[in-house]
Amino acid sequence: MTCMSRARVARRIAAGAAYGGGGIGLAGAAAVGLLLAEAQLARRRVGNGTSPHVPHADGLYGASYTVPGEPALRLTMLGDSTAAGQGVHRAGQTPGALIASGVSAIAERPVGLSTVAVPGARSDDLDRQVSRALADPSRVPDICVIMVGANDVTHRMPPTRSVRHLASAVRRLRTAGAEVVVGTCPDLGTIEPVWQPLRWMARRASRQLAAAQTIGVVEQGGRTVSLGDLLGPEFAENPRELFGPDSYHPSAEGYATAAMAVLPTVCAALGLWPADEERPDAARREGFLPVARAAAEAASEAGTEVAAAMPTGPRGAWALLKRRRRRRVPEAEPEPSPQPSP
Protein backbone atom coordinates (compact mmCIF):
# COMPACT_ATOMS: atom_id res chain seq x y z
CA MET A 1 0.00 0.00 0.00
CA THR A 2 1.39 3.38 -1.01
CA CYS A 3 1.77 6.26 1.40
CA MET A 4 -1.06 8.19 -0.29
CA SER A 5 -3.53 5.29 -0.16
CA ARG A 6 -2.55 4.60 3.46
CA ALA A 7 -3.24 8.28 4.19
CA ARG A 8 -6.69 8.00 2.59
CA VAL A 9 -7.55 4.93 4.68
CA ALA A 10 -6.28 6.63 7.84
CA ARG A 11 -8.40 9.71 7.11
CA ARG A 12 -11.50 7.55 6.61
CA ILE A 13 -10.93 5.69 9.89
CA ALA A 14 -10.23 8.90 11.82
CA ALA A 15 -13.29 10.58 10.30
CA GLY A 16 -15.41 7.58 11.24
CA ALA A 17 -14.07 7.80 14.79
CA ALA A 18 -14.85 11.49 15.01
CA TYR A 19 -18.38 11.20 13.64
CA GLY A 20 -19.42 7.92 15.21
CA GLY A 21 -18.98 5.61 12.24
CA GLY A 22 -17.93 2.04 12.81
CA GLY A 23 -18.17 0.16 9.58
CA ILE A 24 -14.67 0.54 8.17
CA GLY A 25 -12.75 -2.71 8.46
CA LEU A 26 -8.99 -3.12 8.64
CA ALA A 27 -7.43 -4.70 5.57
CA GLY A 28 -10.75 -5.99 4.26
CA ALA A 29 -12.49 -9.26 5.05
CA ALA A 30 -11.04 -11.67 2.48
CA ALA A 31 -10.36 -15.29 3.39
CA VAL A 32 -11.88 -14.86 6.85
CA GLY A 33 -12.19 -18.59 7.48
CA LEU A 34 -8.54 -19.24 6.67
CA LEU A 35 -7.40 -16.30 8.77
CA LEU A 36 -9.42 -17.41 11.77
CA ALA A 37 -7.99 -20.92 11.50
CA GLU A 38 -4.45 -19.56 11.32
CA ALA A 39 -5.15 -17.20 14.23
CA GLN A 40 -6.23 -20.15 16.39
CA LEU A 41 -3.03 -22.00 15.50
CA ALA A 42 -0.97 -18.89 16.26
CA ARG A 43 -2.61 -18.43 19.65
CA ARG A 44 -1.71 -22.00 20.59
CA ARG A 45 1.92 -21.39 19.67
CA VAL A 46 2.25 -17.86 21.12
CA GLY A 47 2.13 -17.15 24.84
CA ASN A 48 -0.11 -14.13 23.98
CA GLY A 49 0.28 -12.46 27.32
CA THR A 50 -0.70 -15.35 29.56
CA SER A 51 2.23 -14.82 31.95
CA PRO A 52 0.83 -12.94 34.96
CA HIS A 53 4.16 -11.41 36.01
CA VAL A 54 4.50 -7.67 35.54
CA PRO A 55 7.34 -6.01 37.50
CA HIS A 56 6.27 -3.23 39.86
CA ALA A 57 8.27 -0.26 38.64
CA ASP A 58 6.41 2.63 40.26
CA GLY A 59 8.44 4.95 42.42
CA LEU A 60 10.92 7.81 42.33
CA TYR A 61 13.74 7.76 39.77
CA GLY A 62 16.74 10.06 39.96
CA ALA A 63 16.28 10.74 43.67
CA SER A 64 19.82 12.16 43.80
CA TYR A 65 18.57 15.17 41.81
CA THR A 66 16.07 16.12 44.51
CA VAL A 67 16.15 19.82 45.44
CA PRO A 68 14.11 21.04 48.42
CA GLY A 69 11.04 22.90 47.23
CA GLU A 70 11.30 21.65 43.64
CA PRO A 71 8.75 18.94 42.89
CA ALA A 72 9.58 15.84 40.90
CA LEU A 73 8.25 15.47 37.38
CA ARG A 74 5.33 13.05 37.16
CA LEU A 75 5.21 10.37 34.43
CA THR A 76 2.24 8.03 34.01
CA MET A 77 2.18 4.97 31.74
CA LEU A 78 -1.17 3.96 30.23
CA GLY A 79 -2.17 1.24 27.80
CA ASP A 80 -1.58 -2.48 27.47
CA SER A 81 1.06 -5.04 28.42
CA THR A 82 3.74 -3.21 26.43
CA ALA A 83 3.25 -0.07 28.51
CA ALA A 84 3.18 -2.13 31.71
CA GLY A 85 6.37 -4.04 30.84
CA GLN A 86 5.02 -7.59 30.73
CA GLY A 87 7.60 -10.13 29.64
CA VAL A 88 10.60 -8.92 31.68
CA HIS A 89 11.53 -9.81 35.23
CA ARG A 90 13.02 -6.65 36.74
CA ALA A 91 11.44 -3.24 37.30
CA GLY A 92 14.40 -1.48 35.73
CA GLN A 93 13.77 -3.28 32.42
CA THR A 94 10.25 -1.92 31.90
CA PRO A 95 9.67 0.94 29.46
CA GLY A 96 8.30 3.14 32.24
CA ALA A 97 11.47 2.75 34.30
CA LEU A 98 13.69 3.31 31.26
CA ILE A 99 11.82 6.45 30.19
CA ALA A 100 11.68 7.81 33.76
CA SER A 101 15.42 7.29 34.21
CA GLY A 102 16.14 8.88 30.84
CA VAL A 103 14.00 11.94 31.54
CA SER A 104 15.56 12.30 34.98
CA ALA A 105 19.08 12.22 33.58
CA ILE A 106 18.29 14.77 30.87
CA ALA A 107 16.25 17.11 33.08
CA GLU A 108 18.47 16.57 36.14
CA ARG A 109 15.29 16.28 38.17
CA PRO A 110 13.68 13.33 39.93
CA VAL A 111 10.81 11.64 38.11
CA GLY A 112 7.92 9.96 39.88
CA LEU A 113 6.59 7.02 37.83
CA SER A 114 3.08 5.62 38.14
CA THR A 115 1.62 2.87 35.96
CA VAL A 116 -2.07 2.35 35.25
CA ALA A 117 -1.51 0.24 32.13
CA VAL A 118 -3.02 -3.25 32.23
CA PRO A 119 -1.87 -6.34 30.30
CA GLY A 120 -4.48 -7.33 27.75
CA ALA A 121 -6.07 -3.87 27.68
CA ARG A 122 -7.65 -2.49 24.56
CA SER A 123 -8.38 1.13 23.76
CA ASP A 124 -11.81 0.90 25.37
CA ASP A 125 -10.06 0.49 28.76
CA LEU A 126 -8.34 3.86 28.45
CA ASP A 127 -11.28 5.78 29.90
CA ARG A 128 -10.92 3.85 33.17
CA GLN A 129 -7.14 4.24 33.15
CA VAL A 130 -7.37 7.99 32.56
CA SER A 131 -9.78 8.28 35.50
CA ARG A 132 -7.17 6.58 37.68
CA ALA A 133 -4.39 8.82 36.38
CA LEU A 134 -6.44 11.96 37.10
CA ALA A 135 -8.00 10.77 40.37
CA ASP A 136 -6.08 13.36 42.40
CA PRO A 137 -6.43 16.84 40.82
CA SER A 138 -3.40 18.03 42.82
CA ARG A 139 -1.18 15.36 41.23
CA VAL A 140 -1.93 15.64 37.52
CA PRO A 141 0.91 13.99 35.53
CA ASP A 142 3.33 16.26 33.70
CA ILE A 143 3.61 13.68 30.93
CA CYS A 144 1.59 10.60 30.00
CA VAL A 145 2.85 7.86 27.69
CA ILE A 146 0.24 5.60 26.09
CA MET A 147 1.07 2.37 24.28
CA VAL A 148 -2.02 0.65 22.91
CA GLY A 149 -3.47 -0.93 19.79
CA ALA A 150 -2.09 -4.45 19.48
CA ASN A 151 -5.00 -6.05 21.34
CA ASP A 152 -7.46 -3.99 19.32
CA VAL A 153 -6.14 -5.65 16.17
CA THR A 154 -5.96 -9.18 17.56
CA HIS A 155 -9.49 -8.90 19.00
CA ARG A 156 -10.80 -7.28 15.80
CA MET A 157 -12.08 -4.11 17.45
CA PRO A 158 -13.43 -1.78 14.73
CA PRO A 159 -10.67 0.75 14.08
CA THR A 160 -13.04 3.71 14.25
CA ARG A 161 -14.03 2.63 17.75
CA SER A 162 -10.41 2.10 18.71
CA VAL A 163 -9.36 5.57 17.54
CA ARG A 164 -12.40 7.19 19.15
CA HIS A 165 -11.46 5.80 22.59
CA LEU A 166 -7.82 6.83 22.19
CA ALA A 167 -8.69 10.36 21.03
CA SER A 168 -11.07 10.76 23.98
CA ALA A 169 -8.33 9.68 26.40
CA VAL A 170 -5.85 12.14 24.92
CA ARG A 171 -8.42 14.94 25.06
CA ARG A 172 -9.13 14.31 28.76
CA LEU A 173 -5.45 14.23 29.65
CA ARG A 174 -4.63 17.37 27.66
CA THR A 175 -7.60 19.21 29.16
CA ALA A 176 -6.28 18.34 32.62
CA GLY A 177 -2.90 19.85 31.70
CA ALA A 178 -0.80 16.76 30.96
CA GLU A 179 1.42 16.37 27.91
CA VAL A 180 0.66 13.18 26.00
CA VAL A 181 2.89 10.93 23.86
CA VAL A 182 1.38 7.87 22.19
CA GLY A 183 3.42 4.94 20.93
CA THR A 184 1.20 3.79 18.07
CA CYS A 185 0.19 0.23 17.27
CA PRO A 186 3.21 -2.05 16.74
CA ASP A 187 3.67 -4.24 13.68
CA LEU A 188 2.00 -7.53 14.57
CA GLY A 189 3.26 -9.11 11.37
CA THR A 190 6.57 -9.85 13.10
CA ILE A 191 5.30 -12.33 15.69
CA GLU A 192 7.25 -15.49 14.90
CA PRO A 193 4.55 -18.20 14.96
CA VAL A 194 2.17 -16.23 12.72
CA TRP A 195 2.15 -17.54 9.13
CA GLN A 196 1.08 -16.07 5.81
CA PRO A 197 -1.42 -14.76 4.88
CA LEU A 198 -2.21 -13.83 8.48
CA ARG A 199 1.21 -12.21 8.87
CA TRP A 200 0.59 -9.92 5.89
CA MET A 201 -2.92 -9.07 7.08
CA ALA A 202 -1.67 -8.34 10.60
CA ARG A 203 1.04 -6.04 9.27
CA ARG A 204 -1.38 -4.15 7.07
CA ALA A 205 -4.00 -3.83 9.81
CA SER A 206 -1.37 -2.67 12.33
CA ARG A 207 -0.07 0.08 10.06
CA GLN A 208 -3.55 1.26 9.11
CA LEU A 209 -4.49 1.54 12.76
CA ALA A 210 -1.20 3.27 13.64
CA ALA A 211 -1.79 5.93 10.98
CA ALA A 212 -5.38 6.50 12.10
CA GLN A 213 -4.27 6.69 15.73
CA THR A 214 -1.80 9.41 14.77
CA ILE A 215 -4.51 11.56 13.21
CA GLY A 216 -6.78 11.16 16.24
CA VAL A 217 -4.00 11.92 18.74
CA VAL A 218 -2.54 14.93 16.92
CA GLU A 219 -5.98 16.47 16.49
CA GLN A 220 -6.38 16.36 20.28
CA GLY A 221 -3.03 18.03 20.97
CA GLY A 222 -0.88 14.95 21.63
CA ARG A 223 2.22 13.62 19.89
CA THR A 224 2.82 10.18 18.45
CA VAL A 225 5.85 7.99 17.89
CA SER A 226 5.70 5.11 15.45
CA LEU A 227 6.64 1.78 17.03
CA GLY A 228 5.71 -0.25 13.96
CA ASP A 229 9.11 -0.90 12.45
CA LEU A 230 10.72 -1.31 15.86
CA LEU A 231 8.73 -4.53 15.92
CA GLY A 232 9.50 -4.94 12.23
CA PRO A 233 12.93 -5.43 10.64
CA GLU A 234 14.88 -5.20 13.91
CA PHE A 235 12.63 -7.66 15.72
CA ALA A 236 12.28 -9.95 12.72
CA GLU A 237 16.06 -10.15 12.29
CA ASN A 238 16.71 -10.76 15.99
CA PRO A 239 13.65 -12.62 17.30
CA ARG A 240 15.62 -14.50 19.97
CA GLU A 241 17.15 -11.26 21.22
CA LEU A 242 14.26 -8.81 20.89
CA PHE A 243 11.29 -10.98 21.78
CA GLY A 244 10.71 -12.43 25.22
CA PRO A 245 10.30 -16.11 26.08
CA ASP A 246 6.66 -16.15 24.93
CA SER A 247 7.66 -14.89 21.42
CA TYR A 248 4.98 -12.20 21.83
CA HIS A 249 6.16 -9.58 24.31
CA PRO A 250 9.47 -7.74 23.92
CA SER A 251 12.48 -8.80 25.94
CA ALA A 252 14.52 -6.36 28.00
CA GLU A 253 16.48 -5.43 24.85
CA GLY A 254 13.24 -4.93 22.94
CA TYR A 255 11.78 -2.63 25.57
CA ALA A 256 15.02 -0.64 25.64
CA THR A 257 14.75 -0.19 21.86
CA ALA A 258 11.17 1.05 22.18
CA ALA A 259 12.05 3.36 25.09
CA MET A 260 14.93 4.81 23.06
CA ALA A 261 12.47 5.74 20.30
CA VAL A 262 9.91 7.32 22.67
CA LEU A 263 12.30 9.19 24.98
CA PRO A 264 13.23 12.07 22.60
CA THR A 265 9.56 12.88 22.00
CA VAL A 266 8.79 12.75 25.73
CA CYS A 267 11.66 15.15 26.36
CA ALA A 268 10.52 17.43 23.53
CA ALA A 269 6.99 17.53 24.96
CA LEU A 270 8.46 18.59 28.30
CA GLY A 271 10.65 21.26 26.68
CA LEU A 272 13.89 19.40 27.49
CA TRP A 273 15.20 18.65 23.99
CA PRO A 274 17.88 20.90 22.46
CA ALA A 275 16.35 23.82 20.57
CA ASP A 276 18.46 23.20 17.46
CA GLU A 277 16.91 19.75 17.09
CA GLU A 278 13.38 21.15 17.21
CA ARG A 279 13.77 22.76 13.79
CA PRO A 280 12.83 20.44 10.90
CA ASP A 281 15.81 19.13 8.96
CA ALA A 282 15.12 18.85 5.23
CA ALA A 283 18.08 16.50 4.81
CA ARG A 284 16.30 14.05 7.12
CA ARG A 285 13.02 14.46 5.21
CA GLU A 286 11.42 16.34 8.09
CA GLY A 287 8.87 19.07 7.65
CA PHE A 288 5.26 20.20 7.65
CA LEU A 289 2.71 17.91 6.00
CA PRO A 290 -1.05 17.40 6.00
CA VAL A 291 -1.67 15.32 9.11
CA ALA A 292 -2.96 12.27 7.20
CA ARG A 293 0.14 12.15 5.00
CA ALA A 294 2.43 12.61 8.00
CA ALA A 295 0.57 9.81 9.78
CA ALA A 296 0.95 7.45 6.83
CA GLU A 297 4.68 8.15 6.52
CA ALA A 298 5.22 7.70 10.25
CA ALA A 299 3.44 4.34 10.25
CA SER A 300 6.12 3.02 7.90
CA GLU A 301 9.17 4.25 9.79
CA ALA A 302 9.88 3.54 13.44
CA GLY A 303 10.85 6.35 15.75
CA THR A 304 9.08 8.96 13.65
CA GLU A 305 7.29 11.67 15.62
CA VAL A 306 4.17 13.51 14.51
CA ALA A 307 2.93 16.60 16.36
CA ALA A 308 0.39 19.32 15.59
CA ALA A 309 1.98 22.17 13.68
CA MET A 310 -0.55 24.86 12.84
CA PRO A 311 -4.28 25.54 12.83
CA THR A 312 -6.47 23.72 10.35
CA GLY A 313 -6.45 25.32 6.91
CA PRO A 314 -8.24 24.74 3.61
CA ARG A 315 -6.46 21.39 3.20
CA GLY A 316 -7.22 20.27 6.75
CA ALA A 317 -4.96 19.88 9.78
CA TRP A 318 -1.18 20.03 9.38
CA ALA A 319 1.53 18.35 11.39
CA LEU A 320 5.27 18.43 11.89
CA LEU A 321 7.00 15.17 11.07
CA LYS A 322 10.32 14.60 12.86
CA ARG A 323 12.78 11.73 12.48
CA ARG A 324 14.55 12.25 15.76
CA ARG A 325 18.07 10.96 16.24
CA ARG A 326 18.13 8.04 18.61
CA ARG A 327 20.29 8.51 21.66
CA ARG A 328 21.32 5.90 24.14
CA VAL A 329 18.81 5.54 26.97
CA PRO A 330 20.56 5.78 30.35
CA GLU A 331 20.39 2.47 32.13
CA ALA A 332 17.47 2.44 34.53
CA GLU A 333 18.04 2.03 38.21
CA PRO A 334 17.70 -1.68 39.05
CA GLU A 335 14.68 -0.90 41.22
CA PRO A 336 12.86 2.38 41.86
CA SER A 337 13.76 4.35 44.96
CA PRO A 338 11.87 3.12 48.02
CA GLN A 339 10.50 6.66 48.35
CA PRO A 340 6.93 6.94 47.09
CA SER A 341 6.51 9.06 44.00
CA PRO A 342 5.47 12.61 44.88
Side-chain angles (χ1 to χ4, degrees):
M1 181 182 289
T2 66
C3 179
M4 292 305 296
S5 40
R6 189 178 296 118
R8 284 194 294 271
V9 172
R11 272 198 303 267
R12 289 173 57 211
I13 294 172
Y19 296 107
I24 301 174
L26 286 175
V32 171
L34 175 59
L35 293 177
L36 290 177
E38 290 209 5
Q40 290 173 352
L41 288 172
R43 284 196 188 100
R44 284 199 288 268
R45 296 186 62 193
V46 177
N48 200 26
T50 56
S51 171
H53 179 70
V54 178
H56 180 75
D58 290 6
L60 191 67
Y61 290 78
S64 60
Y65 293 117
T66 300
V67 175
E70 183 176 354
L73 292 169
R74 297 191 182 99
L75 163 66
T76 299
M77 300 293 296
L78 305 91
D80 56 24
S81 56
T82 305
Q86 186 171 5
V88 295
H89 299 288
R90 295 194 301 134
Q93 298 171 329
T94 63
L98 292 165
I99 294 169
S101 292
V103 171
S104 176
I106 292 169
E108 296 187 344
R109 286 178 64 182
V111 175
L113 170 66
S114 62
T115 304
V116 297
V118 178
R122 291 170 283 182
S123 294
D124 55 5
D125 189 54
L126 289 175
D127 183 62
R128 184 191 63 80
Q129 294 184 24
V130 170
S131 294
R132 287 188 59 196
L134 301 179
D136 184 348
S138 67
R139 293 166 57 85
V140 172
D142 295 288
I143 183 81
C144 293
V145 175
I146 304 174
M147 297 180 179
V148 75
N151 295 315
D152 297 20
V153 174
T154 59
H155 289 79
R156 293 180 293 162
M157 176 183 288
T160 50
R161 181 182 169 201
S162 174
V163 173
R164 186 159 57 245
H165 284 296
L166 176 59
S168 175
V170 174
R171 181 168 58 250
R172 289 181 62 193
L173 292 168
R174 293 290 292 129
T175 300
E179 297 291 340
V180 181
V181 174
V182 175
T184 55
C185 183
D187 184 352
L188 298 180
T190 61
I191 299 173
E192 264 200 316
V194 177
W195 303 319
Q196 298 291 10
L198 184 59
R199 181 187 293 267
W200 177 83
M201 295 289 282
R203 170 166 289 129
R204 188 179 178 198
S206 302
R207 292 189 177 186
Q208 286 181 359
L209 179 57
Q213 285 177 319
T214 294
I215 296 174
V217 169
V218 169
E219 288 180 345
Q220 299 302 325
R223 305 180 186 221
T224 63
V225 179
S226 169
L227 299 182
D229 281 351
L230 288 175
L231 303 180
E234 294 178 33
F235 278 41
E237 290 171 10
N238 304 287
R240 296 289 178 262
E241 179 181 349
L242 290 173
F243 279 116
D246 61 5
S247 297
Y248 186 83
H249 292 99
S251 65
E253 291 82 2
Y255 279 128
T257 302
M260 191 182 300
V262 172
L263 178 61
T265 299
V266 168
C267 290
L270 291 170
L272 303 174
W273 213 237
D276 61 341
E277 291 196 17
E278 291 304 290
R279 293 188 293 271
D281 184 349
R284 292 168 55 80
R285 296 178 293 117
E286 298 178 343
F288 300 98
L289 296 170
V291 66
R293 183 177 165 193
E297 289 199 15
S300 301
E301 184 172 344
T304 303
E305 174 191 317
V306 180
M310 58 186 71
T312 299
R315 296 179 59 187
W318 283 69
L320 173 61
L321 184 144
K322 293 280 294 178
R323 294 177 170 87
R324 294 190 182 276
R325 297 172 178 84
R326 298 185 192 173
R327 297 185 175 186
R328 182 179 179 275
V329 177
E331 185 175 347
E333 301 167 15
E335 297 293 337
S337 164
Q339 301 173 254
S341 58

